[in-house]
Amino acid sequence: MTDTSSEKLIHAAETFLGKGETTLSAEERRVLEQAIGKKALSVDTSTVFDDKSTFGQRLADGVASFGGSWTFLSIFGAVLVAWVGGNLLLTQLAPDPYPFIFLNLLLSMLAAVQAPVIMMSQNRQSAKDRLVTAHDYECNLKAEIEIMALHDKVDQMRNDDLKQLIAKQQEQIELLMRLVQARAGEAARPESK
């Protein structure tokens, strides 16, 4: 960072955030630098988050997504009905007769595997939500800083306009005073004759 941009950062921190440069958080510093450099802060946090995902994380998201869908429930229900129906129809030759002990074992194993996978996906979603929230905070902070900067610019423009208006009025008053004095001088001359 150059001296001028460092000075701008210090000025912006004091003006807009009421903080010294050393007390800025990393997010605040990044936002101020973006605002000073007139750079965009927006990014697609979903893409950034997904780009950092490992294969296992993407797999967990896929399993959780499929496991919580109507497609899964429909297929799972059809398989259960077919399993139970097939075993009831085969009676003595059934591979898993009533009370379906093998089916219970399969369902227990499915639940034992599926629950942690869904929890991993929920943890990742929570982390993604935190990233989105942090980015929203940065965007909101930058927007507030930009609005305050615009207010400062408008106030400065108004002050400059007022100074120019007062200067013009002063010139006009001086011109009027000279005209009045000139008229008064002309009016005084004929009376002296």
Side-chain angles (χ1 to χ4, degrees), residues 108-127:
S108 297
M109 288 191 309
L110 176 66
V113 170
Q114 193 177 21
V117 170
I118 291 172
M119 288 174 60
M120 285 189 298
S121 180
Q122 288 175 341
N123 289 340
R124 279 185 28 80
Q125 187 61 44
S126 295

Side-chain angles (χ1 to χ4, degrees), residues 41-84:
L41 185 66
S42 298
V43 293
D44 183 2
T45 51
S46 292
T47 304
V48 170
F49 189 80
D50 291 342
D51 288 346
K52 294 179 181 178
S53 298
T54 65
F55 173 74
Q57 291 170 331
R58 286 192 303 274
L59 181 64
D61 288 344
V63 168
S65 176
F66 180 69
S69 69
W70 284 107
T71 304
F72 173 76
L73 288 175
S74 300
I75 293 169
F76 193 65
V79 168
L80 286 177
V81 167
W83 183 278
V84 170

Side-chain angles (χ1 to χ4, degrees), residues 112-184:
V113 170
Q114 193 177 21
V117 170
I118 291 172
M119 288 174 60
M120 285 189 298
S121 180
Q122 288 175 341
N123 289 340
R124 279 185 28 80
Q125 187 61 44
S126 295
K128 188 176 191 178
D129 291 344
R130 284 191 298 277
L131 178 68
V132 168
T133 301
H135 183 68
D136 286 348
Y137 167 74
E138 290 177 0
C139 287
N140 291 339
L141 181 61
K142 184 177 181 202
E144 286 181 33
I145 290 169
E146 294 289 341
I147 290 169
M148 287 188 274
L150 285 173
H151 278 288
D152 287 349
K153 286 179 183 178
V154 169
D155 290 346
Q156 185 62 42
M157 288 172 56
R158 187 189 70 229
N159 289 341
D160 291 345
D161 288 346
L162 285 174
K163 286 177 185 176
Q164 290 175 358
L165 182 63
I166 289 170
K168 285 181 183 179
Q169 284 179 338
Q170 192 62 38
E171 289 174 17
Q172 291 173 348
I173 290 171
E174 290 173 5
L175 181 62
L176 285 173
M177 291 298 286
R178 282 184 285 194
L179 285 172
V180 167
Q181 289 172 353
R183 290 266 185 179

